[in-house]
Amino acid sequence: MNRILLMVLRNLHIVPGAWFKLCRYAKHTDEYPEKEKWDHIRYILTRAVRSGNINLQVTGTENIPEGNAVFVCNHQSMIDIPVLLTATGLNELVYNDFFIGDNCDVTIMAGCGIHNCGDEASRHDGVHTFYIGKNSTVRYAERHYGDGDGKGDRIMNPETVVYVGEGSTIQMDTVQIKGIDSTARKTKIVVGKDGSAIINEKLLTHGNQYAGSDMDLILEGENANGRIISRSVAQDSSMASRISNL
């Protein structure tokens, strides 16, 4: 609390001008270059760090991938990743790479939905790769849903690859709620020393739908452990298949 008060008192004189600029950038964002806006945010953050006598050290910059990236602090954090397809005949493939450092506590929520009212198939494929450091806890929740009164199929093919570092844990809760006509799910988890992986999977199919799930849980390190719980409900004439390798 004392550190926060110190930061506030030392920056009172810049607050009016900094706030005015932020509001102007937000209201007329297209009129200003990206660099100018980011430089202003960097200026505010730098002032806050220095005035609070914070010793800020940055490590692991060599692991930052090119292109877009999401950065998570080493305290309890939550990331939401929504995907929604509403066009018939659309096929897409997306890649999400998560680099999670040491001593982190992270919850990631991924929701994917397809609304297809046309006659062509709509398809969403996602490749999600997790690189987890040491002594971290990661919770990953994934929900898939499809609807629409069209004749086109709703297809989702998720692929998840996880590398669990020493002493770390990942808990995956994946659910296919309803409405996906075809899915081929692939999961591979490699667990390091003293690490743990818990997988909870639930699949629901109906009509003539098909769901396939292929899991590989590799306990690579000493004292590594894992658990797979997979449940499926196949209504009407639908089918579900499952292959789990531990």
Side-chain angles (χ1 to χ4, degrees), residues 19 31 43 87 100 141 146 172 208 223 229 238-239:
W19 178 254
E31 298 179 9
Y43 166 74
I100 300 166
M172 295 180 57
N208 296 315
N223 297 321
I229 301 175
S238 64
M239 295 180 60

Side-chain angles (χ1 to χ4, degrees), residues 143-162:
R143 303 291 184 266
H144 285 177
Y145 176 76
D147 69 1
D149 55 8
K151 297 179 181 179
D153 287 341
R154 299 172 291 272
I155 303 170
M156 285 192 185
N157 297 319
E159 181 176 350
T160 305
V161 181
V162 184

Side-chain angles (χ1 to χ4, degrees), residues 132-184:
I132 304 174
K134 298 179 180 179
N135 303 314
S136 290
T137 299
V138 179
R139 290 167 295 274
Y140 177 63
E142 179 185 84
R143 303 291 184 266
H144 285 177
Y145 176 76
D147 69 1
D149 55 8
K151 297 179 181 179
D153 287 341
R154 299 172 291 272
I155 303 170
M156 285 192 185
N157 297 319
E159 181 176 350
T160 305
V161 181
V162 184
Y163 299 97
V164 182
E166 180 179 343
S168 291
T169 300
I170 185 168
Q171 178 174 328
M172 295 180 57
D173 297 307
T174 61
V175 179
Q176 180 171 294
I177 302 171
K178 190 179 180 182
I180 302 300
D181 294 299
S182 176
T183 184

Side-chain angles (χ1 to χ4, degrees), residues 75-117:
H75 53 70
Q76 190 173 27
S77 305
M78 178 172 289
I79 307 172
D80 294 319
I81 309 172
V83 174
L84 179 62
L85 271 65
T86 60
T88 188
L90 178 63
N91 296 302
E92 68 166 4
L93 171 61
V94 299
Y95 291 88
N96 294 315
D97 291 344
F98 300 88
F99 295 84
I100 300 166
D102 300 341
N103 305 308
C104 293
D105 187 349
V106 182
T107 299
I108 301 171
M109 306 289 293
C112 305
I114 296 178
H115 180 79
N116 190 352
C117 290

Side-chain angles (χ1 to χ4, degrees), residues 3 11 16 25 32 44 71 101 110 126 158 171 191-192 194 209 224 229 241:
R3 189 188 299 272
N11 290 290
Y25 289 150
Y32 298 93
I44 294 174
F71 296 89
Q171 178 174 328
V191 184
D194 297 323
Q209 297 172 350
I229 301 175
S241 67

Side-chain angles (χ1 to χ4, degrees), residues 44-58:
I44 294 174
L45 295 177
T46 301
R47 290 278 315 191
V49 169
R50 290 178 178 175
S51 59
N53 296 330
I54 299 173
N55 181 20
L56 183 63
Q57 298 181 357
V58 180

Side-chain angles (χ1 to χ4, degrees), residues 190-195 218-225:
V190 181
V191 184
K193 179 181 178 182
D194 297 323
I218 302 171
L219 305 180
E220 189 173 73
E222 183 181 359
N223 297 321
N225 66 88

